[in-house]
Amino acid sequence: MRNGRRQHSSQKVQGKFITQNQITGQKGINLIERFVLEMGFTWTSTSGANDAGIDGIIEIRDPATGEATNLIVQVQSKATETEFESETATSFVYRVKERDLNYWLQGNAPVLLVVSRPSKGEAYWIPVKEYFKAPERRTSCKVQFDKIRNLFDKNATSAIASQALPTDKGIYLRPPPKEEILTTNLLEVKHFASKLFVGVTHYNTIKEVENIFKELDERPGRLWFVKEKKIFSFHNLTEYPWTKVTDLGAVEEFNTKEWAVAKDTERQNDFVRLLNQALRTFASRKDFAAYTAQKGRNPIFFFRPRVRRNRETDVDELVRREESWKLEKASIRTLVEVYRSSKDQNRILYYRHHAFEGRFRRFENRWFLEISPTYHYTSDGINESKYRAENLAGMKRQEGHQSVANNVQFLAYYLAQHDLINKEYPFLGFGKLLNFQTDFGIPDLDWKNRADPDEIMPEEVLPDPQIELLTE
């Protein structure tokens, strides 16, 4: 109210609507309830907000004594006011959805499918599990209704009662159908080097070739290796300085895609070896350092700390590192944390780095980087901490499923990101995580009720590990 005048909104309030299909569906349920009560049984409706594929439950009751038996059958209603498929005076066809059928067939509670035309007061039924025992019916997902034999009315009382569960069996219900997107830890390899070169050389080892480059004061990169006096490379071996270590006229050029889809194991392994070399350079460009626990194993790539000038000492020091990113919402992730002594804040105990191990995988001629998130601990931001193993074990004990999933999502985002300043690396690039859509899943409420507390923590709330630090 302003100056005694009422202010009116110019926006029209949007109302709620109920469709004709919803009306028809409710009429079908009402028709079923009427027939069930005429049989002398009780009807409990489950339709509404919580309906997941079962519209009601029939409890068998002795009409003569009124005794309730606790024997039940479940009912799924399908109503229409139009003509049924392939309808004649004596029969018609009804097709069910496979996901509905899968749901009805699970568990040990019997399910009736009741198809009705409420305007004419007619309904027909089949016992789902009995009817779909035949494999050909199960495959076709089709029901052939006989309008006399399958009529749902008072005359079906005995047949309906026979479907009820025996008293010595409990009830198990499968979780209702739920479409979900499953995200894997497989990051798509969007592109790699277009050409692959193989050249004959007089040298036997990588070290020997590197020594030649040192003499020439050249650093041509590491996208190559030596095997059986041949150099395999994403670099063009016909150009300098490669001409100094390969035989002229003895260089072969290949389309890299030929090697990427090769069935020959050796050729595929050589291609993966070059991909691993490219990943090392790619990671370095993305400000990762590499740590190899033992010879022959894939390296662990860990984020480097930030460098900051200390104004008091005028010396560069390594400090915590944070990165902003956005999935569903913008947030900040701490990638390197500095842990200091409680007795002496100037004394750094160790650095904790977010890290990952990557392994290339091929599925259906598509290449992916399998991301395994982990942590790395250093004493000075570079060199391994003597307590790495103990601290890593302590962190892993605290980390739940959601934290691991969030780490995978962030790493995929970070590895695939590029801009005008950080341009795409021509020899290796990544796309999106591989996702699968399924027609089954666990309802969120059920998952949260059963999950461990650390599995449903908010994304950025994971606390710093409360680890008993091993000290000298």
Side-chain angles (χ1 to χ4, degrees):
M1 183 79 71
R2 181 182 298 173
N3 298 329
R5 298 180 180 179
R6 187 182 300 273
Q7 302 296 313
H8 296 280
S9 171
S10 60
Q11 293 183 342
K12 184 178 180 180
V13 177
Q14 189 69 262
K16 293 185 177 180
F17 297 89
I18 298 175
T19 67
Q20 187 57 46
N21 285 341
Q22 289 175 293
I23 295 293
T24 301
Q26 187 59 50
K27 286 182 177 180
I29 293 173
N30 293 345
L31 182 64
I32 294 171
E33 182 179 18
R34 191 189 93 193
F35 286 135
V36 168
L37 294 177
E38 289 177 359
M39 296 175 191
F41 304 151
T42 65
W43 169 262
T44 302
S45 177
T46 61
S47 61
N50 296 322
D51 175 18
I54 297 298
D55 293 303
I57 296 175
I58 300 173
E59 181 177 355
I60 307 304
R61 167 185 169 275
D62 187 338
T65 65
E67 180 183 3
T69 63
N70 197 30
L71 301 179
I72 68 168
V73 291
Q74 299 182 100
V75 177
Q76 173 68 69
S77 171
K78 299 291 183 181
T80 184
E81 296 294 12
T82 61
E83 185 175 287
F84 297 118
E85 180 181 342
S86 304
E87 185 174 7
T88 67
T90 59
S91 66
F92 67 92
V93 168
Y94 184 81
R95 298 180 187 275
V96 301
K97 294 181 179 179
E98 185 174 7
R99 64 180 300 216
D100 288 341
L101 182 56
N102 289 338
Y103 178 57
W104 299 334
L105 292 176
Q106 296 299 317
N108 58 12
V111 178
L112 308 183
L113 171 62
V114 180
V115 179
S116 65
R117 191 151 44 196
S119 61
K120 294 188 177 182
E122 55 183 316
Y124 308 92
W125 73 287
I126 56 123
V128 172
K129 293 187 178 181
E130 285 186 16
Y131 188 88
F132 284 101
K133 280 183 179 178
E136 61 272 16
R137 290 177 175 175
R138 178 70 179 82
T139 302
S140 68
C141 293
K142 185 170 68 175
V143 180
Q144 183 76 38
F145 280 93
D146 184 297
K147 289 188 175 181
I148 297 176
R149 187 171 62 251
N150 299 120
L151 187 64
F152 187 84
D153 63 5
K154 188 176 181 178
N155 295 323
T157 299
S158 297
I160 298 295
S162 69
Q163 296 296 319
L165 285 171
T167 57
D168 61 349
K169 290 187 177 180
I171 299 176
Y172 164 73
L173 300 178
R174 178 185 182 230
K178 180 179 185 292
E179 290 186 354
E180 281 196 335
I181 301 295
L182 302 182
T183 300
T184 72
N185 66 336
L186 298 175
L187 183 62
E188 173 195 16
V189 176
K190 189 172 65 174
H191 70 259
F192 41 74
S194 60
K195 300 294 182 181
L196 189 153
F197 298 85
V198 180
V200 176
T201 182
H202 296 294
Y203 304 102
N204 294 303
T205 65
I206 292 175
K207 187 66 175 178
E208 290 176 350
V209 175
E210 287 180 335
N211 288 336
I212 298 298
F213 290 146
K214 286 181 181 179
E215 292 176 5
L216 296 171
D217 195 23
E218 293 289 344
R219 296 180 179 179
R222 284 302 309 272
L223 306 183
W224 58 279
F225 64 89
V226 179
K227 187 179 77 170
E228 298 173 353
K229 288 197 170 185
K230 289 183 179 180
I231 295 179
F232 297 75
S233 178
F234 283 157
H235 300 295
N236 188 343
L237 300 183
T238 65
E239 298 176 350
Y240 181 85
W242 298 101
T243 52
K244 296 295 184 179
V245 293
T246 54
D247 291 347
L248 295 176
V251 175
E252 294 182 89
E253 178 181 323
F254 299 90
N255 185 327
T256 309
K257 290 182 179 179
E258 297 177 17
W259 292 55
V261 299
K263 294 183 179 180
D264 177 69
T265 302
E266 185 175 5
R267 177 165 284 197
Q268 186 179 144
N269 289 340
D270 290 338
F271 172 68
V272 170
R273 189 170 176 181
L274 287 174
L275 282 183
N276 282 325
Q277 293 292 84
L279 179 60
R280 281 179 173 270
T281 304
F282 176 91
S284 179
R285 291 163 62 97
K286 283 283 189 177
D287 211 17
F288 286 94
Y291 165 80
T292 304
Q294 62 187 59
K295 189 175 181 180
R297 290 199 58 178
N298 287 345
I300 293 172
F301 298 102
F302 63 95
F303 284 97
R304 294 188 177 98
R306 292 294 186 208
V307 179
R308 184 182 64 189
R309 174 72 66 170
N310 188 317
R311 294 182 180 179
E312 295 180 1
T313 62
D314 198 31
V315 175
D316 287 342
E317 60 183 9
L318 300 178
V319 297
R320 71 180 296 174
R321 175 176 178 177
E322 295 179 338
E323 292 284 347
S324 61
W325 75 301
K326 184 176 181 180
L327 186 59
E328 295 180 354
K329 61 178 182 179
S331 59
I332 302 294
R333 179 166 289 259
T334 300
L335 302 179
V336 180
E337 186 62 274
V338 184
Y339 291 85
R340 300 178 182 274
S341 170
S342 59
K343 297 179 181 179
D344 181 5
Q345 285 296 302
N346 292 321
R347 181 183 169 221
I348 295 176
L349 299 176
Y350 63 91
Y351 294 77
R352 188 193 71 192
H353 309 251
H354 275 262
F356 77 95
E357 184 177 352
R359 184 183 299 273
F360 288 99
R361 303 282 193 181
R362 187 177 78 174
F363 299 101
E364 297 181 347
N365 288 334
R366 294 175 61 194
W367 282 95
F368 301 89
L369 179 68
E370 180 184 44
I371 300 174
S372 299
T374 185
Y375 298 89
H376 184 58
Y377 292 83
T378 64
S379 59
D380 55 4
I382 301 173
N383 296 301
E384 176 188 4
S385 166
K386 66 171 69 176
Y387 306 121
R388 174 184 176 274
E390 290 83 354
N391 288 342
L392 179 59
M395 189 66 185
K396 291 293 186 182
R397 283 195 298 269
Q398 295 189 67
E399 196 171 40
H401 165 79
Q402 189 61 56
S403 297
V404 175
N406 288 334
N407 286 341
V408 170
Q409 293 275 14
F410 172 77
L411 287 164
Y413 168 89
Y414 187 83
L415 292 174
Q417 183 188 37
H418 60 88
D419 51 36
L420 293 176
I421 298 175
N422 302 301
K423 295 184 179 180
E424 260 192 317
Y425 183 48
F427 297 106
L428 185 62
F430 298 103
K432 297 180 179 180
L433 288 172
L434 179 64
N435 294 330
F436 295 98
Q437 182 167 347
T438 68
D439 59 359
F440 60 88
I442 301 175
D444 293 338
L445 184 59
D446 288 347
W447 171 257
K448 291 181 179 179
N449 287 340
R450 291 165 173 78
D452 293 332
D454 63 350
E455 291 185 311
I456 56 175
M457 291 176 65
E459 175 182 324
E460 301 297 339
V461 183
L462 182 67
D464 290 336
Q466 302 299 310
I467 302 170
E468 182 180 354
L469 182 67
L470 300 178
T471 57
E472 298 179 43

